[in-house]
C-alpha cells in the first residue's frame, strides 16, 4: 500500500509473515489530501527502474483516475 499525503510518503508491505512500514517526510506538490492505493510489486519494480534510469535530475509524476494509477518519469526538471 502506498500512502501519499501533502508532506509525507509512506509504504506498507507484507511478505505473508511480517508487516513493514517505511515513511519519509517529502513535499508532494499538487496533492491536497490523502491518497491510498495498492500498488503491485511488479509496478513498484518498474518505478524503481524508471527512477534509476532517469538520474538525479529527474522526478516521477503520479496521476490517479478512478481505476488506474499512472507513473511518469520526467527528466531535466
Amino acid at each position: 500500500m502506498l500512502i501519499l499525503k501533502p508532506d509525507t510518503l509512506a509504504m506498507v508491505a507484507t511478505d505473508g509473515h511480517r508487516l513493514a512500514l517505511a515513511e519519509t517526510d517529502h513535499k508532494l506538490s499538487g496533492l491536497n489530501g490523502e491518497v491510498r492505493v495498492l500498488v503491485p510489486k511488479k509496478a513498484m519494480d518498474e518505478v524503481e527502474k524508471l527512477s534509476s534510469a532517469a538520474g538525479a535530475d529527474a522526478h516521477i509524476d503520479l496521476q490517479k483516475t478512478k481505476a488506474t494509477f499512472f507513473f511518469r518519469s520526467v527528466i531535466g526538471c
Side-chain angles (χ1 to χ4, degrees):
M1 175 172 285
L2 180 62
I3 305 166
L4 305 170
K5 297 179 185 176
D7 294 324
T8 60
L9 169 76
M11 292 186 74
V12 179
T14 182
D15 65 359
H17 300 284
R18 296 172 291 240
L19 184 66
L21 168 67
E23 189 171 13
T24 184
D25 292 336
H26 189 78
K27 195 77 161 162
L28 299 171
S29 61
L31 186 64
N32 297 325
E34 182 178 288
V35 176
R36 291 175 177 246
V37 63
L38 292 175
V39 182
K41 181 186 181 322
K42 187 172 181 177
M44 289 308 299
D45 290 342
E46 292 300 317
V47 170
E48 182 180 17
K49 286 181 194 176
L50 280 174
S51 65
S52 295
D57 64 338
H59 71 271
I60 304 290
D61 280 344
L62 307 171
Q63 292 184 354
K64 182 180 180 284
T65 65
K66 219 173 189 182
T68 308
F69 199 61
F70 297 95
F71 297 92
R72 180 177 67 163
S73 176
V74 180
I75 301 172
C77 22

